[in-house]
Structure formats: structure tokens, C-alpha cells
């Protein structure tokens, strides 16, 4: 079965404008990586024009080779132990009130990179005490002491994506597991954190499977959910099984809210950190909108 | 009506003090004086900061002296003292620009020296994190590391469960004196400083403030924990 070409609702804005160039310059000058670039995010133009970016720490080479993800797989180099300072400085220069930090998986490190994670959170907070810090973490192979290392640094929002329904875990994210990701979310919840997760649609999942996934997420205590359309980054990645309509995304948003989620961000171009600053206000107890962004008006 | 025989123990409030630049031996004697006063209840738990004049100190570990590589003439030329101490561990170097922390702490609430070492490590890890460096423990070795590079040393002593000696964090200090020793007996690593990592001088006052904040911030939980929850692999 062939899938028709990309529908009109997936056409994203081209990168450009003063905000975009300012963010790009900052990222390059600070030697940072962004998941926006590495994962070929369709919203890069929009977010960077607003002066925001999602920083990706621990390098840009991932030890895993998930079949949905554009990030390069390989054997990474030694972690950059001074990276937390540069991330903290970049957040300060962007004047972000809400920052999302993510990382590649570093399964070859004894702590999976947890110590770098914790230092990054602390450095960002020390330099930017008013900024809400959202982390989008890997599963640390389910090793709970590593998760605790990250949690000890007190991120404001703890995000870990289950990515897809249970049946499709193996083909979609080879070295990860549905129950393990759920255990990660439950652990952070048990420690009292606001938790968030996300799934992609269009990988071949069935309606009842999506429904069950959302129920699982609710039973694990997650407050925030993102739902977006899977896009095939290269021909070597999984093909798109279907284009989910904006109406169906709206349906999942309403369904998620009806079964107890606090915020559901659901739409074709929604990604993990999309409009994260708008979602966080409800949970961080303060307004953390990136509206007075330093670079957007540059 | 409360029991009339109950007399609460009155101790002074916790304090952080800065001795500024000191020679090692007088500072060591001053520490012992503080320990006596802490035991007598005259002072509360105290965190002392200082910077030492150049000195190699030898811990109680067997063979520490053999890890001193420079001879007497070389030491005299460079103006570095050598002092044998009663702290744990091997040989190390102290000098201007390095922040030395001496917690004079009653471990009566938790008589666990291993847990105390893990606590000091966590103080340093969190402080360095705040300051932008991703430091960690290294399996089987005390001290704080950036991968294969050691940035802080730890060596403690206790007298009747009051601690002295403590930690040394390389901030702006010259690292060449470490070439004259096998620091802490370690042959598979190097020594680094914050200045070396960042490529610029760091504000010692800020570093001390961050260390003190982490120290006093983590202390209540260290005292209240009864079992060791820290990562055993570190």
C-alpha cells in the first residue's frame, strides 16, 4: 500500500528571520547541539524565530539506533564536562523562562550520562533561577539510581517519551521497552515530579491501541502528553503508515483530557517541546512564557 | 508539665568562616582547637575555608612518602613545604587559588564515616554542577573527577566523632606542583582545575558561597538518612 504524499497541514514554515539567525549564531558559538537540528524537526523555523531552541546535551551521536529517529548512531566521544556551563550561558542569553533540555542515549557510560544531566540542570538553575527547567530524558536502561541522580537536581518537568503503542515498540525503538519507559515515568511520579510523555501517530498503530496507551499513561500518573505525526526522516527509516488528520488529533486531545490528563498537546506538527512554555504554567505555578525572549527581537 | 530533669543540650549555631590565606601547620593546630571546642559544646558545626601556602601533605596511608618525586633542593627552590598529617589518604598538594574546606562537624547524629565521605563528595559534585562542570565519583577512588581528570581531593579525620581535615578543590591554583608527586597514589589519571577547564580565572568568593550553600543544604538529609542510598558504583 502506498501512502499519498505529505498533506498540506504538514507544511512547516521555512527557517529565517532575525530570531532564527540569532539562535543559530548562539548555538554555534557555544558549541551546543540542538535536537531541532539533529532530529530534523519541522518546527525549527517557527521556534528559532521565536528565539527558543531545545538543547541536546551529551553530544550528537547516540548509542541507540531507533527506526524513527534522525539522530546519528555511533560510538560517542568522551563527554564534554564543561558543557553545563555553556548550556546555562545560552539559556541566559536567550532569556528563556522555560527551557527544554534533552540528550542522546549514552548507554556506554557507567551512569548513562546522569551526572552530566544533573550538572546541567544545576548549572542552568544557578545561572537562571527564574527559569522553568523541563528535561526530556532517555530511559537510562531502566536503572533507577541514574534516574534519581537526575531527579536530585530537581527539574520542574520530567519528560520521557513512550514514543508509540506497546505492540510497535520493537520495530520503532529497538533497544527500548514499553514497560521500562512506563517504569521510568512511574518512578519520577513516585518521587513527586510533574511528568510528561509523548507518542507519535502514523507508525501503524490501531485506534484501540492508541486508546490503551493513553489509559496506560494516565494510570502512570503523567500530567502532560504530546501527540504528533511521525515523519520519515530518511528512506532508511520506517515509512509513514498513514497521515493522521487534524480532526483525529483533536479527538485524541479531547479523549486524553476526558480520562484525566492535565494538558494534551495534539496536532500534526506537535513535538515533545512544542509550546512547552505554554503547558508548564499550570504545573510550575508561575508564568514561564518565552515571550520576552532576548533573541527573538534581536 | 514537662519533666524538670530534662536539660536540653545547648550548642552554638552552625557557622561558615573564612581563614583566608594560612600556613598549613598553624591551620592544622587551629582545626584541633576547633575540634576541642566543638566537643566541649562551645561552638556548633562549622565549615572553615582557607587557602594554604604551597605545601605537600602526607596522609596516613602506607607509602605516601614514596609518592613525593622532587628532592629537598627542588622543594626549597620552589618554596613548597612538606608536612606529615593525620588525615586519611595519600600525598596531595595545597596552594594559593585552591579552596580548602575543613568541616568541624559532630557526627553524633550519624556515626558513619563512609556516609560522611559520600556526603562531602555530593557537596562537591553539586557545587561544581551549579558552577557548570559535570563532576562525578570514580569507582574505587575518593575525590571528584571529570572523567580521568581529578579536580578535588578528600581526606578526613575524626576525633570522638567530630570531623576535621576535609576537601581541597582546585579552582585557580597552579597545577605544576602536582608534577612533583603521584597525587593520592593515582597513576592512571591527571589533575585539573576549574581554571583549566574553563580557560579563565574563577571567582573564589562565588565558589565558596556555592560550596557553603550545598554543604548546609545537604547536611540535614545526610544526618536524617539512616541507610546509605548513594550510588554504590561510585
Amino acid at each position: 500500500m502506498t501512502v499519498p504524499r505529505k498533506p498540506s497541514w504538514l507544511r512547516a514554515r521555512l527557517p529565517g528571520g532575525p530570531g532564527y539567525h540569532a539562535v543559530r549564531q548562539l548555538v554555534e558559538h557555544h558549541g551546543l547541539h540542538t535536537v531541532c537540528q539533529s532530529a530534523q524537526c519541522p518546527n525549527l523555523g517557527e521556534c528559532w524565530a521565536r528565539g527558543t531552541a531545545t538543547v541536546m546535551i551529551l553530544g550528537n551521536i547516540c548509542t541507540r539506533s531507533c527506526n524513527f529517529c534522525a539522530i546519528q548512531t555511533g560510538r560517542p566521544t568522551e563527554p564534554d564536562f564543561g558543557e553545563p556551563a555553556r548550556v546555562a550561558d545560552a539559556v541566559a542569553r536567550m532569556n528563556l523562562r522555560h527551557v527544554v533540555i534533552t540528550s542522546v542515549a549514552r548507554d556506554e557510560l557507567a551512569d548513562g550520562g546522569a551526572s552530566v544531566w544533573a550538572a546541567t540542570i544545576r548549572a542552568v538553575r544557578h545561572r537562571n533561577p527564574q527559569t522553568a527547567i523541563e528535561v526530556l530524558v532517555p530511559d537510562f536502561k531502566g536503572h533507577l539510581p541514574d534516574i534519581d541522580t537526575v531527579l536530585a537536581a530537581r527539574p520542574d518537568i520530567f519528560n520521557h517519551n513512550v514514543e508509540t503503542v506497546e505492540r510497535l515498540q520493537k520495530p520503532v525503538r529497538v533497544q527500548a521497552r514499553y514497560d521500562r519507559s512506563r517504569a521510568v515515568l512511574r518512578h519520577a511520579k513516585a518521587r513527586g515530579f510533574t511528568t510528561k510523555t509523548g507518542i507519535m501517530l502514523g507508525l501503524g498503530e490501531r485506534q484501540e491501541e492508541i486508546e490503551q496507551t493513553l489509559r496506560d499513561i494516565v494510570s502512570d500518573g503523567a500530567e502532560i502528553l504530546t501527540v504528533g505525526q511521525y515523519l520519515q526522516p530518511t528512506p532508511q527509516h520506517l515509512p509513514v503508515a498513514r497521515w493522521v488528520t487534524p480532526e483525529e488529533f483533536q479527538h485524541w486531545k479531547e479523549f486524553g483530557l476526558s480520562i484525566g490528563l492535565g494538558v494534551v498537546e495534539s496536532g500534526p506538527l506537535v513535538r515533545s517541546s512544542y509550546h512547552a512554555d505554554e503547558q508548564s504554567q499550570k504545573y510550575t505555578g508561575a508564568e514561564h512564557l518565552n515571550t520576552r525572549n532576548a533573541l527573538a527581537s534581536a | 508539665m514537662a519533666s524538670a530533669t530534662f536539660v536540653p543540650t545547648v550548642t552554638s549555631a552552625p557557622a561558615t568562616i573564612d581563614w583566608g590565606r594560612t600556613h598549613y601547620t598553624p591551620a592544622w593546630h587551629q582545626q584541633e582547637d576547633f575540634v576541642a571546642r566543638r566537643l566541649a559544646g562551645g561552638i556548633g558545626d562549622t565549615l572553615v575555608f582557607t587557602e594554604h601556602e604551597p605545601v605537600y601533605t602526607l596522609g596516613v596511608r602506607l607509602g605516601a612518602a614514596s609518592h613525593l618525586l622532587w628532592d629537598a633542593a627542588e622543594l626549597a627552590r620552589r618554596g613548597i613545604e612538606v608536612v606529615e598529617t593525620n588525615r586519611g589518604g595519600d600525598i596531595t598538594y595545597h596552594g594559593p587559588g585552591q579552596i580548602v574546606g575543613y568541616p568541624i562537624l559532630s557526627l553524633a547524629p550519624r556515626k558513619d564515616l563512609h556516609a560522611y565521605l559520600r556526603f562531602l563528595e555530593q557537596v562537591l559534585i553539586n557545587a561544581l554542577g551549579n558552577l557548570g562542570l559535570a563532576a562525578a565519583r570514580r569507582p574505587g577512588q575518593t575525590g571528584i573527577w571529570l572523567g580521568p581528570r581529578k579536580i578535588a581531593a578528600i581526606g578526613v579525620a575524626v576525633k570522638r566523632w567530630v570531623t576535621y581535615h576535609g576537601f581541597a578543590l582546585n579552582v585557580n591554583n597552579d597545577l605544576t606542583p602536582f608534577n612533583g608527586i603521584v597525587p593520592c597514589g593515582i597513576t592512571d589519571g591527571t589533575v585539573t582545575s576549574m581554571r583549566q577547564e574553563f580557560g579563565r580565572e574563577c571567582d573564589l568568593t562565588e565558589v565558596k558561597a556555592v560550596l557553603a550553600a550545598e554543604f548546609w543544604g545537604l547536611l540535614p538529609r545526610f544526618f536524617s538518612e539512616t541507610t546509605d542510598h548513594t550510588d554504590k558504583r561510585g
Side-chain angles (χ1 to χ4, degrees):
Chain A
M1 190 187 87
T2 54
V3 177
R5 60 191 291 265
K6 207 185 260 189
S8 60
W9 61 73
L10 283 166
R11 305 252 178 265
R13 202 192 297 171
L14 275 174
Y20 168 82
H21 289 289
V23 171
R24 189 174 160 164
Q25 223 170 22
L26 181 78
V27 163
E28 283 171 7
H29 179 258
H30 281 60
L32 301 177
H33 301 292
T34 65
V35 74
C36 324
Q37 296 160 294
S38 290
Q40 300 174 14
C41 181
N43 304 317
L44 185 149
E46 181 189 337
C47 294
W48 286 29
R50 289 174 65 215
T52 72
T54 295
V55 177
M56 188 172 76
I57 62 171
L58 285 159
N60 64 345
I61 299 172
C62 188
T63 51
R64 297 195 186 177
S65 49
C66 296
N67 290 319
F68 69 92
C69 180
I71 294 169
Q72 190 190 338
T73 301
R75 186 158 178 83
T77 50
E78 179 191 77
D80 176 351
F81 300 103
E83 186 177 55
R86 297 201 311 279
V87 174
D89 191 55
V91 171
R93 282 170 200 268
M94 287 189 269
N95 191 28
L96 296 184
R97 306 327 314 155
H98 182 107
V99 62
V100 184
I101 302 165
T102 189
S103 81
V104 291
R106 294 293 301 254
D107 291 336
E108 92 286 8
L109 297 174
D111 69 352
S115 54
V116 176
W117 261 107
T120 305
I121 296 166
R122 289 196 173 97
V124 169
R125 173 159 307 114
H126 184 69
R127 183 81 195 274
N128 310 271
Q130 305 301 319
T131 300
I133 301 171
E134 174 173 330
V135 299
L136 169 58
V137 298
D139 65 14
F140 294 99
K141 295 192 268 189
H143 193 245
L144 298 182
D146 294 336
I147 312 243
D148 281 335
T149 298
V150 177
L151 293 177
R154 313 294 305 170
D156 293 291
I157 292 175
F158 180 91
N159 184 0
H160 173 67
N161 284 337
V162 298
E163 306 290 7
T164 183
V165 301
E166 184 166 17
R167 178 177 57 88
L168 296 177
Q169 293 284 320
K170 198 138 204 137
V172 171
R173 47 199 301 249
V174 185
Q175 298 108 315
R177 293 206 319 258
Y178 188 65
D179 58 345
R180 192 159 72 186
S181 284
R182 290 186 61 191
V184 167
L185 287 166
R186 280 198 301 271
H187 185 70
K189 176 49 57 190
R191 292 272 194 259
F193 286 82
T194 298
T195 58
K196 171 175 171 178
T197 189
I199 56 168
M200 300 170 284
L201 299 185
L203 284 157
E205 65 287 329
R206 295 188 285 265
Q207 301 293 298
E208 64 273 20
E209 290 176 316
I210 303 171
E211 201 176 303
Q212 185 56 48
T213 305
L214 265 57
R215 290 189 191 283
D216 291 343
I217 287 164
V218 169
S219 86
D220 294 336
E223 281 95 349
I224 307 170
L225 172 69
T226 57
V227 187
Q229 168 73 53
Y230 166 66
L231 297 173
Q232 183 184 24
T234 76
Q236 281 71 51
H237 288 82
L238 288 171
V240 173
R242 67 181 177 117
W243 301 111
V244 181
T245 63
E247 293 72 31
E248 188 182 333
F249 278 110
Q250 182 60 28
H251 162 75
W252 292 119
K253 177 180 181 126
E254 285 160 16
F255 176 76
L257 293 173
S258 76
I259 61 170
L261 287 160
V263 171
V264 181
E265 201 70 61
S266 179
L269 288 169
V270 167
R271 296 295 180 264
S272 291
S273 50
Y274 192 62
H275 291 181
D277 57 334
E278 291 170 19
Q279 304 155 15
S280 81
Q281 188 179 350
K282 185 168 174 179
Y283 297 100
T284 54
E287 194 163 293
H288 287 292
L289 295 174
N290 289 325
T291 45
R292 271 196 305 239
N293 192 287
L295 296 186
S297 52
Chain B
M1 190 75 191
S3 164
T5 57
F6 175 68
V7 181
T9 314
V10 181
T11 51
S12 306
T16 304
I17 48 178
D18 195 337
W19 287 348
R21 191 84 79 85
T22 57
H23 283 277
Y24 187 85
T25 305
W28 178 14
H29 295 148
Q30 183 74 0
Q31 281 195 76
E32 292 184 325
D33 181 54
F34 269 52
V35 170
R37 285 155 69 186
R38 182 71 190 88
L39 282 166
I43 57 169
D45 287 334
T46 303
L47 175 60
V48 174
F49 286 121
T50 188
E51 287 174 66
H52 286 312
E53 300 298 338
V55 62
Y56 291 124
T57 63
L58 281 70
V60 296
R61 189 183 297 167
L62 212 63
S66 69
H67 291 140
L68 178 58
L69 306 175
W70 286 342
D71 62 20
E74 182 70 22
L75 294 173
R77 196 178 67 77
R78 293 174 181 267
I80 306 177
E81 268 190 285
V82 180
V83 178
E84 282 185 44
T85 78
N86 61 344
R87 64 160 170 79
D90 207 289
I91 190 167
T92 195
Y93 167 78
H94 301 300
Q98 178 195 62
I99 294 176
V100 170
Y102 292 138
I104 312 296
L105 199 61
S106 168
L107 294 185
R110 186 174 182 194
K111 294 177 178 174
D112 184 339
L113 208 51
H114 282 284
Y116 173 62
L117 287 169
R118 299 292 89 77
F119 160 72
L120 286 186
E121 288 169 353
Q122 200 61 52
V123 168
L124 286 156
I125 289 168
N126 288 8
L128 286 165
N130 275 290
L131 297 163
L133 286 175
R137 299 178 178 90
R138 199 183 198 200
Q141 286 164 341
T142 56
I144 298 303
W145 300 75
L146 304 173
R149 304 186 296 280
K150 189 171 182 171
I151 194 161
I154 295 176
V156 301
V158 283
K159 185 178 179 189
R160 290 168 53 206
W161 293 108
V162 170
T163 66
Y164 57 122
H165 296 296
F167 60 84
L169 172 63
N170 297 326
V171 184
N172 294 330
N173 51 302
D174 178 15
L175 295 175
T176 44
F178 284 101
N179 295 332
I181 58 172
V182 184
C184 302
I186 288 151
T187 51
D188 63 337
T190 56
V191 176
T192 190
S193 66
M194 292 182 65
R195 184 176 69 175
Q196 177 151 305
E197 295 295 324
F198 286 134
R200 58 171 169 80
E201 295 267 319
C202 294
D203 179 354
L204 289 169
T205 309
E206 190 200 2
V207 177
K208 282 183 273 196
V210 171
L211 283 165
E214 288 297 332
F215 181 87
W216 296 113
L218 288 175
L219 191 62
R221 220 187 68 188
F222 161 64
F223 278 154
S224 66
E225 275 176 2
T226 48
T227 45
D228 191 356
H229 293 301
T230 53
D231 195 341
K232 295 294 190 293
R233 292 167 310 165

